[in-house]
Amino acid sequence: MADCVFCKIVAKQIPASVVYEDEYTLAFMDLGQVNPGHVLVALKAHAENVYALDDAQAAAVFRSVARVSRAIRAAFAPQGLSVYQANGKAAGQTVFHLHVHLVPRFEGDGMNLSWPVKNPPREKLEEHAAKLRLHFQGE
Ligand SMILES: [Zn+2]
């Protein structure tokens, strides 16, 4: 989809702090941070929502979610991690390209993390992304 911001990130037309990439998915830290270490895992192909995934894509998305979650745990040592995927306008989505939010939770976070999100400077995102990329160098 030509005007999809996620498709532009996947195509490297928009710079992003990429954490992990494989055949099916791209994980990056841009488009806002609820907490430090917050990563979005997106399918490389344009798929509007979870209903649009075939089994191979679904498996690939969750594999990336698990891999990146382990990296977040190793790099940021959060108390917990929340995984969010929301579909459609009713869920408050403004981007209609399937993506999963991995949000580290730290002591003092309430049940409801505050959205909208903060947008740290790119240097901070790159510093955090580099910490996560380190985790994948040995794999
Ligand atoms: Zn897209």
Side-chain angles (χ1 to χ4, degrees), residues 42-86:
L43 192 69
K44 284 184 171 176
H46 185 86
E48 186 168 327
N49 54 42
V50 72
Y51 310 119
L53 300 179
D54 64 30
D55 285 354
Q57 291 171 324
V61 168
F62 211 81
R63 182 182 61 217
S64 294
V65 164
R67 286 178 176 171
V68 177
S69 293
R70 290 192 295 267
I72 292 169
R73 183 177 61 183
F76 293 94
Q79 273 72 43
L81 182 99
S82 294
V83 177
Y84 298 99
Q85 196 282 315

Side-chain angles (χ1 to χ4, degrees), residues 1 4 6-7 46 97:
M1 201 176 272
C4 172
F6 277 42
C7 283
H46 185 86
H97 181 128

Side-chain angles (χ1 to χ4, degrees), residues 9-24:
I9 288 171
V10 167
K12 311 274 164 59
Q13 292 167 353
I14 295 176
S17 297
V18 174
V19 165
Y20 172 80
E21 181 171 9
D22 63 23
E23 183 186 352
Y24 286 93

Side-chain angles (χ1 to χ4, degrees), residues 7-133:
C7 283
K8 287 178 179 169
I9 288 171
V10 167
K12 311 274 164 59
Q13 292 167 353
I14 295 176
S17 297
V18 174
V19 165
Y20 172 80
E21 181 171 9
D22 63 23
E23 183 186 352
Y24 286 93
T25 65
L26 185 75
F28 59 93
M29 304 186 91
D30 308 73
L31 305 184
Q33 297 274 291
V34 169
N35 265 338
H38 177 167
V39 174
L40 289 77
V41 175
L43 192 69
K44 284 184 171 176
H46 185 86
E48 186 168 327
N49 54 42
V50 72
Y51 310 119
L53 300 179
D54 64 30
D55 285 354
Q57 291 171 324
V61 168
F62 211 81
R63 182 182 61 217
S64 294
V65 164
R67 286 178 176 171
V68 177
S69 293
R70 290 192 295 267
I72 292 169
R73 183 177 61 183
F76 293 94
Q79 273 72 43
L81 182 99
S82 294
V83 177
Y84 298 99
Q85 196 282 315
N87 291 318
K89 285 191 176 119
Q93 287 291 294
T94 54
V95 175
F96 297 94
H97 181 128
L98 178 97
H99 60 285
V100 179
H101 291 266
L102 308 181
V103 182
R105 303 183 73 102
F106 297 96
E107 199 172 326
D109 286 339
M111 283 304 290
N112 296 308
L113 292 167
S114 66
W115 304 74
V117 295
K118 304 159 206 88
N119 289 296
R122 173 153 305 275
E123 311 85 71
K124 180 57 84 178
L125 283 182
E126 267 309 305
E127 182 189 316
H128 287 170
K131 282 176 84 171
L132 292 178
R133 284 194 298 265

